[in-house]
Amino acid sequence: MSKHIIKHILSLIPTLLGVTVLVFLFIHLIPGDPALVILGEHATEEGIISLQKQLGLDKPLFLNLDALSQILKGEANLSEGSKVFFDSQYFRFLGRLLRGDLGRSIHERTPIINTLKQKFPATLELTIFSMAFAIAIGIPAGIISATRRNSVFDNLSMMGALAGVSMPIFWLGLMLIYFFGVILGWLPTYGRLPVDSSLETITGLFVLDSIITRNPQALLLVFKHLAMPAIALGTIPMATIARMTRSSMLEVLHQDYIRTAYAKGLKERVVVTRHALKNAFLPVITIVGMQVGGLLAGAIMTETVFSWPGMGKWAYDAILARDYPVVQASVMVITIGVAVINLMVDISYTYLNPQIRYE
């Protein structure tokens, strides 16, 4: 068991290293100069060059070819070979990352880690409740559809699942805002809390903070603000989980041991919950893990539509501002989150199917 876990942890290292290269490369392929964005269109060339030096944007991206050329020509000692790698933007970024330093925002000129502590809990809370909504609706719908195959409920739920997968998040979000926020006026359309609300923040997770501080009024407001973004973000995972649960359950329900359980006189509820569901759960857990990662990565659209102050909107604003360090930091945090979730899914396999431990 320990070897299995260590193996998966070590496999994350090349994955995360490859992600740093891809993120760094793609970010710098975005047209536009951060120095020009900060100084404005009327900035002088001298001012742009000076700001680029301050921000380290004048350094080579990956390799210092000038230092490499000097070494090859014999004009520099091999002891100065470290400049080939470490005197570049990527290796400076990687070195800061290994030290736990995410750098400073180019646009706001503040440490990224301070802003991250405010943005990450908002995205995490939205992801948790979106996935809770998806699981609470998707798994029961898939189980009932499988046990009542070709029934009216089965047909309606699978049509709903197909519609849920097909609807774009931004369109669904706008429809929810228009119907529940504008026409009915039941739910707020943006933010996590009203501006004039009083909530003592401890963890940054407003639901948990409301419970800790025993503030039921704030808790109700938090749930109202969470409702529409969580539904919009969780609709696609809900539909995917429902379809996968139904497919996996149908495959298991046709196995011989299920027919034997029925032949012994066991009730349908016992057969489904104790025998079929456990064996059908492996592919469902895989899908749930993938969907959690998708929620973290796909929160940009939802947070932008609902003005949710999380990492998604933060990354979107950083892309528009050409704020490379912020985009790199947000993508790396999301990548690490997805990798950790996949690791947890792999470990959970060993508990649901002990044979995996010995493969």
Side-chain angles (χ1 to χ4, degrees), residues 44 76 100 142 238:
T44 62
M238 176 197 68

Side-chain angles (χ1 to χ4, degrees), residues 230-252:
I231 292 173
L233 187 59
T235 297
I236 293 179
M238 176 197 68
T240 304
I241 291 172
R243 292 168 65 89
M244 177 55 67
T245 303
R246 178 182 183 274
S247 176
S248 184
M249 284 290 294
L250 284 175
E251 182 178 353
V252 170

Side-chain angles (χ1 to χ4, degrees), residues 57-317:
L57 299 175
D58 61 324
K59 302 293 182 181
L61 289 182
F62 287 97
L63 294 177
N64 191 330
L65 298 180
D66 292 336
L68 179 61
S69 177
Q70 291 177 1
I71 293 173
L72 294 177
K73 293 179 181 179
E75 299 176 358
N77 298 326
L78 291 176
S79 60
E80 300 180 3
S82 60
K83 292 183 178 180
V84 174
F85 297 100
F86 298 112
D87 194 23
S88 64
Q89 294 185 48
Y90 170 72
F91 282 95
R92 288 188 174 190
F93 159 69
L94 186 60
R96 291 195 304 267
L97 195 62
L98 293 175
R99 296 193 303 269
D101 180 10
L102 298 178
R104 299 177 68 90
S105 169
I106 292 177
H107 189 68
E108 299 177 357
R109 309 303 296 273
T110 57
I112 293 176
I113 189 66
N114 294 340
T115 308
L116 181 63
K117 292 178 181 178
Q118 302 173 5
K119 303 295 183 180
F120 181 72
T123 297
L124 179 61
E125 187 171 60
L126 178 59
T127 300
I128 291 173
F129 279 87
S130 298
M131 184 50 62
F133 166 76
I135 292 174
I137 303 298
I139 291 181
I143 293 173
I144 297 174
S145 295
T147 55
R148 301 290 184 270
R149 187 179 181 183
N150 296 326
S151 65
V152 175
F153 180 87
D154 181 25
N155 294 329
L156 291 177
S157 62
M158 289 303 102
M159 287 177 59
L162 180 60
V165 172
S166 305
M167 283 189 296
I169 292 178
F170 71 90
W171 181 85
L172 177 60
L174 292 175
M175 293 300 101
L176 291 175
I177 290 174
Y178 179 71
F179 187 72
F180 292 102
V182 177
I183 295 181
L184 298 178
W186 290 354
L187 298 172
T189 59
Y190 65 91
R192 300 180 71 188
L193 272 178
V195 179
D196 58 349
S197 64
S198 58
L199 174 63
E200 181 184 356
T201 56
I202 300 174
T203 64
L205 303 172
F206 284 2
V207 172
L208 184 58
D209 291 341
S210 301
I211 296 173
I212 294 175
T213 59
R214 299 181 180 180
N215 191 338
Q217 292 81 10
L219 182 62
L220 179 60
L221 290 174
V222 170
F223 277 128
K224 285 185 175 181
H225 281 77
L226 262 172
M228 288 196 295
I231 292 173
L233 187 59
T235 297
I236 293 179
M238 176 197 68
T240 304
I241 291 172
R243 292 168 65 89
M244 177 55 67
T245 303
R246 178 182 183 274
S247 176
S248 184
M249 284 290 294
L250 284 175
E251 182 178 353
V252 170
L253 288 174
H254 288 86
Q255 298 296 321
D256 292 337
Y257 65 88
I258 297 296
R259 286 193 286 267
T260 302
Y262 277 118
K264 289 181 178 179
L266 296 178
K267 296 181 179 180
E268 182 182 22
R269 177 178 57 84
V270 176
V271 174
V272 171
T273 57
R274 293 187 181 180
H275 298 275
L277 186 58
K278 182 178 179 180
N279 291 283
F281 224 53
L282 277 179
V284 176
I285 288 180
T286 303
I287 290 297
V288 169
M290 294 174 61
Q291 294 301 316
V292 172
L295 290 180
L296 285 172
I300 294 178
M301 190 69 67
T302 304
E303 291 183 0
T304 302
V305 170
F306 290 95
S307 297
W308 189 266
M311 288 185 59
K313 191 174 187 304
W314 184 41
Y316 174 76
D317 294 336

